[in-house]
Amino acid sequence: MTAERGEAVDHLRRLASQLEAHSFQVRLKSSPGLYPRLHVINPMVPTMTEDVLAAHEEDGEWWFWLSWAGRIGQAEDVATAAERVASVLHVIRR
């Protein structure tokens, strides 16, 4: 695993922990030749899913991205990124 790939996985694991704490189902996928990604499932509506990637910009700052290239937040701000994933998956807070 390259250092860059390892760092992406580390960021995704932190996001996974945050999402699991809010009852999301998550699966880290790290297939050879593909960017590591976090598959997130809304457990109330299992057909509502999204893949999240972590990548860095040219300045070296890491960001979380939705699978359709929507940037959702800085990797250092896991709480905000988790809230944005929740909003994409239409989770209603009780």
Side-chain angles (χ1 to χ4, degrees):
M1 182 181 302
T2 67
E4 183 176 321
R5 187 176 181 84
E7 192 167 353
V9 168
D10 289 344
H11 289 301
L12 292 171
R13 284 186 178 141
R14 289 185 314 103
L15 180 59
S17 292
Q18 183 78 21
L19 291 167
E20 286 173 330
H22 293 287
S23 301
F24 284 97
Q25 296 171 352
V26 297
R27 240 184 343 244
L28 181 62
K29 297 181 176 185
S30 185
S31 305
L34 297 175
Y35 286 104
R37 62 197 181 282
L38 189 65
H39 187 69
V40 184
I41 303 164
N42 176 340
M44 295 173 14
V45 185
T47 57
M48 298 285 298
T49 67
E50 182 58 61
D51 285 342
V52 178
L53 293 87
H56 64 82
E57 296 287 332
E58 289 182 18
D59 64 3
E61 190 166 353
W62 283 83
W63 291 82
F64 291 115
W65 298 80
L66 297 172
S67 61
W68 38 274
R71 189 163 78 172
I72 58 172
Q74 295 175 322
E76 294 302 317
D77 188 359
V78 176
T80 297
E83 285 299 319
R84 290 181 178 158
V85 170
S87 70
V88 167
L89 295 177
H90 304 289
V91 174
I92 298 171
R93 301 274 182 218
R94 291 183 185 187

